[in-house]
Amino acid sequence: MESTTLEQFYSKEFHKGNGAGGGLLPEGISKDIGHFNVFNVGEMVAKYREKPVMPYNRRAFYKISFIIGRHRAEYADKTVEIDSYALLFASPRVPYHWHPLDENPDGYFCIFTPEFLVKSKSGVVIDELPIFSPGGFPVFMLNATQAEEVKALFVKMYNELEGNYAHKYDLLRNYLMELIHYGQKLQPDTDLYTANTSGARVVSLFIELLERQFPIASPNHKPVLKTAGDFAARLSIHVNHLNKMLKEHTGKTTTHLIKDRLLQEAKILLRQTSWSISEIAWSLGFDEVAHFSNFFKKQVKLSPQAFRE
């Protein structure tokens, strides 16, 4: 499955104009510091006379959006309707489709690569941040006060990027981390596992092992870890202990979580690729296409072909 690269993002969305919001990759942002850019949606609509619809696919960069007005965010297994203010976090792991419903949508969004934050003195690893952890809910509805606070951060980033301050990228990293922490504080406490318990550590390692097997990039790909026993063996713990920890922290068993992730990836592959049903079944670890069809139909109440159509 192909991802939208930064080059493709700029050439498709901003094929005319230049500066912070247009043209190809902006000059002055060299690869050794990573990439960062911020956009004003209202100005984009006025300049290009078209809504900045984001197609349903994976992207090779991270994106944080401050959304104003009516929008719809579609994921493989959920649809989120937004009618006022929202903060949306997107990572390369999860494909989604963002569609403005208002005639003149407004808001801001920024895009960045992991390398941009690596240059931070804190040495942050973005995939270790709770807001970008697998299985999270990346859309947060905001009240009017929260919306003003988030907008102020985006305005700071937008203005700073346009300026000539010699250390502006250091300052932009600080603003970006402030925005990320703002989102993390909006998450329920149960979503932010504490790292000082053995149970939380088991859960974190399990999720990391599970997510390493995705996304599926080729029909020849096949998950190595398929069962609760496989994961327990890799973690060097008893399968009953793994089930107990996952049940306590997530409310679901190991098998349930594995099935949920396989189902999510199946929906993505059915929507995103032209692979045959048998190729998708094989890539997800099903030796028989009938077993995959039965699994999918039991969960979705539709056959894979009917879901694709």
Side-chain angles (χ1 to χ4, degrees):
M1 184 186 304
E2 294 184 356
S3 299
T4 299
T5 64
L6 280 169
E7 289 81 0
Q8 291 169 335
F9 169 79
Y10 280 95
S11 63
K12 289 179 181 178
E13 301 299 325
F14 313 106
H15 49 273
K16 52 186 175 180
N18 49 51
L24 298 175
L25 284 171
E27 295 181 3
I29 302 181
S30 57
K31 294 186 182 298
D32 63 331
I33 65 167
H35 180 75
F36 176 86
N37 210 343
V38 60
F39 305 91
N40 182 316
V41 174
E43 290 182 2
M44 287 168 53
V45 173
K47 186 173 184 178
Y48 298 106
R49 304 299 178 186
E50 57 186 27
K51 297 179 183 179
V53 176
M54 301 296 288
Y56 184 93
N57 59 10
R58 288 188 173 96
R59 296 166 183 84
F61 49 87
Y62 291 79
K63 182 168 179 274
I64 305 176
S65 304
F66 169 53
I67 296 171
I68 302 174
R70 296 185 308 116
H71 297 73
R72 179 183 298 118
E74 298 175 350
Y75 296 82
D77 55 351
K78 63 176 72 75
T79 298
V80 183
E81 300 288 345
I82 300 163
D83 58 11
S84 55
Y85 307 106
L87 189 60
L88 183 153
F89 293 81
S91 77
R93 295 180 179 182
V94 182
Y96 72 97
H97 172 213
W98 171 53
H99 184 72
L101 302 178
D102 287 338
E103 186 64 29
N104 295 303
D106 200 3
Y108 289 84
F109 69 89
C110 64
I111 61 173
F112 57 96
T113 59
E115 292 78 13
F116 182 72
L117 282 181
V118 166
K119 295 296 180 180
S120 168
K121 292 181 180 179
S122 65
V124 63
V125 178
I126 191 167
D127 284 333
E128 294 180 358
L129 295 170
I131 198 72
F132 293 111
S133 64
F137 192 68
V139 181
F140 303 94
M141 304 303 172
L142 306 176
N143 59 37
T145 300
Q146 292 169 328
E148 284 300 317
E149 292 172 346
V150 171
K151 181 179 179 180
L153 276 174
F154 272 99
V155 170
K156 285 181 180 179
M157 292 192 295
Y158 190 85
N159 292 337
E160 194 61 46
L161 192 60
E162 294 288 317
N164 297 317
Y165 177 49
H167 302 287
K168 68 178 180 181
Y169 291 114
D170 291 331
L171 187 54
L172 284 166
R173 289 185 189 95
N174 291 336
Y175 288 149
L176 181 58
M177 285 305 304
E178 185 176 352
L179 184 60
I180 289 171
H181 284 298
Y182 193 102
Q184 290 184 163
K185 287 165 63 178
L186 293 174
Q187 295 192 84
D189 291 340
T190 53
D191 285 348
L192 297 174
Y193 300 133
T194 55
N196 59 354
T197 68
S198 60
R201 181 60 177 165
V202 168
V203 171
S204 176
L205 289 173
F206 166 80
I207 292 175
E208 181 181 348
L209 286 176
L210 181 62
E211 285 298 323
R212 275 185 195 172
Q213 304 190 105
F214 304 98
I216 304 293
S218 163
N220 297 321
H221 174 97
K222 202 171 187 178
V224 176
L225 306 177
K226 302 178 183 179
T227 68
D230 292 338
F231 283 92
R234 182 64 64 88
L235 293 170
S236 300
I237 59 176
H238 195 280
V239 67
N240 291 343
H241 180 63
L242 176 60
N243 277 324
K244 183 175 184 292
M245 293 299 99
L246 290 174
K247 187 71 174 178
E248 287 180 358
H249 285 78
T250 71
K252 297 180 179 181
T253 66
T254 313
T255 299
H256 195 162
L257 290 167
I258 296 170
K259 286 183 177 179
D260 282 353
R261 190 60 183 89
L262 284 174
L263 182 64
Q264 179 187 3
E265 195 69 13
K267 290 178 178 179
I268 291 170
L269 295 175
L270 288 166
R271 285 185 173 182
Q272 276 283 291
T273 74
S274 58
W275 303 352
S276 68
I277 303 299
S278 61
E279 287 176 323
I280 292 175
W282 173 262
S283 72
L284 292 173
F286 294 88
D287 294 330
E288 300 289 340
V289 67
H291 295 164
F292 170 65
S293 296
N294 291 336
F295 161 79
F296 192 89
K297 192 170 184 178
K298 183 177 180 180
Q299 307 299 320
V300 184
K301 311 304 179 187
L302 288 172
S303 69
Q305 189 61 44
F307 179 85
R308 169 173 272 177
E309 295 173 352

